[in-house]
Amino acid sequence: MKRLVLISALLLLLLILTSLSVGSEDISQGKSAVTKADPLGFPEEDYTVKNVTVNTSDGQVQVVYRLYEHITYVGNPVDTNYQSMRVMVPIEVDGKEIDASNAPILFVNSVGGYMSASNENRGMDREFHANMSGSLPIGVNGMPPAGMNGTAPIAGMGRAPSAEGGISKNSDLALAAGFVVVEPGCRGRDNQATNGTYYGKAAAAIVDLKAAVRYIRHNDETMPGNANWIISTGVSAGGALSALLGASGSSHLYDAHLKEIGAADENDSIYASAAFCPIADLEHADMAYEWEFGTVPINGQMVDQELSQQLRDAFAVYMASLSLKGENNFGAITADNYGDYLVQNYLIPSANRYLSALTDEERKSYLAENTWISWSGNSAEFRFEDYAAHVGRMKSLPAFDAFDLSAAENIEFGNETTNARHFTIFSLRHASGDQNAEIDSGLTTVVNLMNPMFFISQNNSGCARYWWIRHGTADSNTALTVISNLAISLENRGKDVNALLYWDAGHGADEDAEDFIAWIREITGYNPHLA
């Protein structure tokens, strides 16, 4: 009898253990199944609570927000240090609870000089960026690479608060306005593996940013913010990428690249694009630079006038191909009349805003130092040639596709095994001495994938409706026509464009950050609920 009881007890114990084992396996498989079902899910509960003091024109605002860090936004990342994002969701503004579940999403890329933007190792830490200063990498002719001149603000961030309590950067102002802020990392021209190969050359940066947009759309049900109100912003090369993100929305030309890194199968169109001094339209940028600065000396010397004239002539052909129409019945914009158009529609309005804001004494002093400007009837007058001479030439010839392959843009268009390549026929033929040399078709495709003007000219259906474009009149990192061509092309296609110049401001200027936030409110109609 005792043996029978013992056997029964052992069988019961075995049955219980087997049951527990099966149950444990089921639970484990259940968790695994959830993970495998959606490896790109948003980590709703994985956040820390932070706070920030935001300086506005009306005083300081205290914001408490949830910070979600280092979220990998693709299924097959090449490097999670770059292909990840941080998300900031405001939950309190000045002690009042806020619901950001349907808020606009400010999508801030921090790319400069077409370099990578890390989302690890403080790569996008706000204190680090707010205090960043000092020298930057040196490029062609001893000048910083395009998009890296001086100590320009970090892309899309606006101005960092000054010691005197200046207006906070755009991302902080957005939090104070109740917006969700997303800061994606992305690969760039400097990424190099231990085996020496490169993994961030064009078009990696825009592919990564598109993948990040797709991640947001994929998680619209669980991630705070309205995925239909994504507003991209960036400065310099980051401004070019922001414009490209806006112009190339949902283009199938990127599908293979996005599939390769495991991007979500979603729409990557955005609602609006903000581009501050974008270093864009790179294959035509040398032409535009010579059109504006070809007869302006650099360091007291003129560049090769024969080569400069060749590029100026090429710019005239390019302008004719764009078929741009000016405002107020101006008619066709050509290389011959473009200077007049820029003066009347962009430069004089900018000068008038600046000069009108000065006191009579300040204005008198400024005009005495800038005799090329006349002031009458509360309006400035000057010639485009005098404006260009006033700004001065910053870069040598060619400005972007350097003959010696030393420019940042040459490096951007390298490939997995080659650090830098020529991307224009002009520089390739001059450097090689072969007047029949042609750009490789594969590289031509990549150049198109990096140019917002290409997608605008193709009338891409996913192009953003709303645009915010800003540039400083003293910025000679690229020609003024790069910015105006972008704005006019969009306007000619019925897009809503808010474009203006900051008078005498340099590269990376952002002088109306609060107006930018107000503009987002206007185009979305968003009014946050404060409990």
Side-chain angles (χ1 to χ4, degrees):
M1 177 63 84
K2 289 182 178 180
R3 180 178 296 178
L4 182 60
V5 171
L6 179 61
I7 291 173
S8 298
L10 288 174
L11 287 173
L12 179 60
L13 178 62
L14 180 61
L15 181 61
I16 293 171
L17 289 174
T18 302
S19 176
L20 287 173
S21 176
V22 171
S24 176
E25 182 179 356
D26 287 344
I27 292 172
S28 175
Q29 287 179 346
K31 289 181 178 179
S32 176
V34 170
T35 302
K36 289 180 180 178
D38 192 4
L40 295 179
F42 180 71
E44 297 179 74
E45 304 303 322
D46 187 11
Y47 62 83
T48 56
V49 176
K50 302 283 188 177
N51 60 76
V52 61
T53 299
V54 182
N55 296 327
T56 75
S57 57
D58 294 325
Q60 292 188 335
V61 176
Q62 303 298 324
V63 179
V64 180
Y65 64 95
R66 290 176 178 172
L67 173 63
Y68 302 81
E69 294 189 276
H70 313 313
I71 305 169
T72 302
Y73 54 73
V74 291
N76 302 315
V78 178
D79 191 331
T80 57
N81 285 348
Y82 303 94
Q83 293 168 306
S84 58
M85 64 168 67
R86 56 190 287 168
V87 176
M88 287 166 281
V89 181
I91 55 177
E92 286 185 15
V93 176
D94 274 346
K96 296 181 180 180
E97 292 185 8
I98 188 168
D99 178 7
S101 58
N102 194 44
I105 298 173
L106 187 64
F107 186 86
V108 184
N109 87 69
S110 65
V111 174
Y114 287 101
M115 303 280 279
S116 60
S118 174
N119 201 243
E120 299 276 359
N121 303 321
R122 296 184 52 148
M124 300 188 72
D125 181 88
R126 62 182 58 250
E127 287 79 17
F128 171 75
H129 281 301
N131 295 298
M132 177 176 154
S133 61
S135 61
L136 291 166
I138 298 301
V140 64
N141 303 311
M143 300 302 297
M148 297 288 282
N149 185 38
T151 56
I154 299 306
M157 296 294 199
R159 288 180 171 173
S162 68
E164 293 76 28
I167 301 301
S168 290
K169 52 185 176 280
N170 289 340
S171 56
D172 285 348
L173 290 172
L175 288 175
F179 304 166
V180 172
V181 176
V182 174
E183 295 177 344
C186 66
R187 292 169 292 165
R189 63 182 174 89
D190 54 312
N191 287 137
Q192 188 172 17
T194 54
N195 64 2
T197 60
Y198 303 97
Y199 61 90
K201 304 296 187 182
I206 186 60
V207 169
D208 285 352
L209 294 179
K210 282 178 169 289
V213 169
R214 289 183 171 207
Y215 178 92
I216 295 171
R217 287 191 175 278
H218 181 69
N219 290 284
D220 195 29
E221 293 294 322
T222 55
M223 178 177 162
N226 187 335
N228 292 317
W229 283 344
I230 298 174
I231 296 93
S232 171
T233 182
V235 172
S236 193
L241 289 168
S242 182
L244 180 56
L245 198 61
S248 66
S250 296
S251 169
H252 292 299
L253 295 180
Y254 298 93
D255 285 354
H257 298 283
L258 289 162
K259 184 177 181 180
E260 182 179 10
I261 60 175
D265 185 14
E266 301 283 350
N267 180 341
D268 56 54
S269 296
I270 60 175
Y271 189 68
S273 173
F276 293 84
C277 52
I279 305 296
D281 199 9
L282 296 177
E283 66 266 41
H284 304 110
D286 288 330
M287 306 172 188
Y289 206 82
E290 294 312 309
W291 176 85
E292 182 167 347
F293 297 110
T295 58
V296 177
I298 178 173
N299 298 325
Q301 296 184 334
M302 302 291 283
V303 298
D304 187 310
Q305 287 299 291
E306 182 178 350
L307 294 179
S308 179
Q309 187 61 56
Q310 290 177 22
L311 285 169
R312 278 176 258 161
D313 291 342
F315 179 74
V317 175
Y318 175 54
M319 284 303 304
S321 72
L322 292 178
S323 300
L324 299 183
K325 303 295 183 183
E327 293 181 326
N328 303 318
N329 298 317
F330 185 86
I333 299 176
T334 68
D336 290 334
N337 65 20
Y338 209 164
D340 294 336
Y341 186 79
L342 290 172
V343 167
Q344 295 303 318
N345 290 274
Y346 286 87
L347 290 165
I348 282 182
S350 176
N352 287 348
R353 282 190 298 272
Y354 176 83
L355 290 168
S356 296
L358 300 178
T359 66
D360 290 343
E361 191 62 33
E362 289 170 338
R363 188 182 311 111
K364 181 179 179 180
S365 176
Y366 183 87
L367 293 171
E369 294 176 0
N370 295 275
T371 56
W372 55 282
I373 302 175
S374 63
W375 180 259
S376 177
N378 294 320
S379 182
E381 288 188 19
F382 49 83
R383 300 186 313 145
F384 185 79
E385 294 79 7
D386 293 330
Y387 156 76
H390 167 70
V391 174
R393 180 173 186 138
M394 176 185 137
K395 297 181 178 182
S396 188
L397 184 156
F400 296 89
D401 189 353
F403 292 147
D404 63 359
L405 295 173
S406 62
E409 292 72 23
N410 292 120
I411 301 172
E412 167 67 0
F413 287 115
N415 59 23
E416 188 178 56
T417 57
T418 304
N419 188 40
R421 292 187 291 177
H422 288 298
F423 55 93
T424 66
I425 290 177
F426 176 85
S427 290
L428 175 64
R429 291 179 176 178
H430 185 276
S432 66
D434 180 1
Q435 294 307 303
N436 296 314
E438 296 289 342
I439 300 297
D440 175 80
S441 61
L443 178 55
T444 298
T445 297
V446 172
V447 171
N448 288 338
L449 291 180
M450 293 299 295
N451 192 352
M453 293 296 290
F454 171 78
F455 292 94
I456 295 169
S457 67
Q458 297 294 314
N459 292 311
N460 179 50
S461 61
C463 183
R465 177 181 176 184
Y466 296 100
W467 292 77
W468 179 275
I469 300 172
R470 294 294 187 268
H471 187 76
T473 66
D475 182 357
S476 56
N477 278 264
T478 193
L480 185 56
T481 58
V482 170
I483 288 80
S484 55
N485 277 352
L486 175 63
I488 298 167
S489 294
L490 290 163
E491 290 168 343
N492 285 181
R493 287 165 174 79
K495 302 303 180 182
D496 190 317
V497 181
N498 186 317
L500 62 79
L501 306 178
Y502 304 127
W503 188 257
D504 270 357
H507 196 59
D510 180 4
E511 298 187 350
D512 54 353
E514 289 183 302
D515 289 343
F516 175 53
I517 300 300
W519 175 76
I520 295 175
R521 284 195 191 280
E522 178 184 340
I523 64 174
T524 61
Y526 177 70
N527 187 23
H529 173 67
L530 298 177

